[in-house]
Amino acid sequence: MANNRRMRHGGRVLALTVAALGAVAATAVPASADDQPTRAQIVSDCGSGEGKCTFNDPKLGQAYLGGFHRVSDALYNCSTSPATQSMTWSDTVGSTDSAGVSVTVGGKIADIIDVSVTATYSHTWSSSHSETSSVNMTVQPGEVGWISRAQVMQTVSGTWQTHYDDRRWGHYFWFVPDVITGPAPNGTDGQSNAVVVKSRKMTAEEKRSCSSRSGKARTFVVHG
């Protein structure tokens, strides 16, 4: 009988110990992801003005030449001799954040970054660059030519600090790191914008299009 009482008493102690451990574990569980904002939510609040935001400790990366991309119409040469024509090109290069979201020209986000970079480096930061010019382009017989351009680019990294008048996700302040990639002035860190003429051989279908143009100009421009 004494053994049975000890066993029952021991069982109650064990049950209480397990219950206590369970309560401790429950209080130690971290907040779920739903209790915290995403980077996109913080930046969105900065852009709308719902959060009072600054872009802290901006650091400019080394400038580099971005990838070449087409900036003109295409010139098709269906003749048997080289064709030279003046072609106008136009290019606009914008900025994106670390998630690939466009940083709108003249928007609040761009303005906040500009203020921060200007205060730190004493020169302005632009979220977009536009340029237009013309080039005399020579295309060989049976080829298609176009103009491509590469823009000097640069990153600026920093941390968004957002202050809310009322608690959001349990806090008045949130801090989110971000990296913005955008156009840099020509000559930054010794890098220069580049404009080149590119060409390729016509496809069989394009050559058939040339044949259908008998009696018409032997060179033609395709927009887009």
Side-chain angles (χ1 to χ4, degrees), residues 113-145:
I113 298 171
D114 182 33
V115 167
S116 179
V117 172
T118 300
T120 303
Y121 292 93
S122 300
H123 67 75
T124 59
W125 176 86
S126 177
S127 61
S128 178
H129 175 79
S130 296
E131 195 170 330
T132 299
S133 188
S134 60
V135 172
N136 284 330
M137 182 168 65
T138 299
V139 178
Q140 298 302 314
E143 293 190 354
V144 184

Side-chain angles (χ1 to χ4, degrees), residues 46-96:
C46 290
S48 68
E50 185 171 350
K52 298 178 177 66
C53 298
T54 55
F55 190 69
N56 298 341
D57 302 320
K59 292 180 176 59
L60 291 173
Q62 187 76 16
Y64 63 95
L65 189 62
F68 280 93
H69 51 279
R70 177 176 159 179
V71 294
S72 75
D73 297 330
L75 177 63
Y76 287 73
N77 185 2
C78 298
S79 71
T80 57
S81 59
T84 300
Q85 184 170 323
S86 178
M87 298 287 288
T88 297
W89 60 265
S90 180
D91 188 26
T92 297
V93 178
S95 300
T96 55

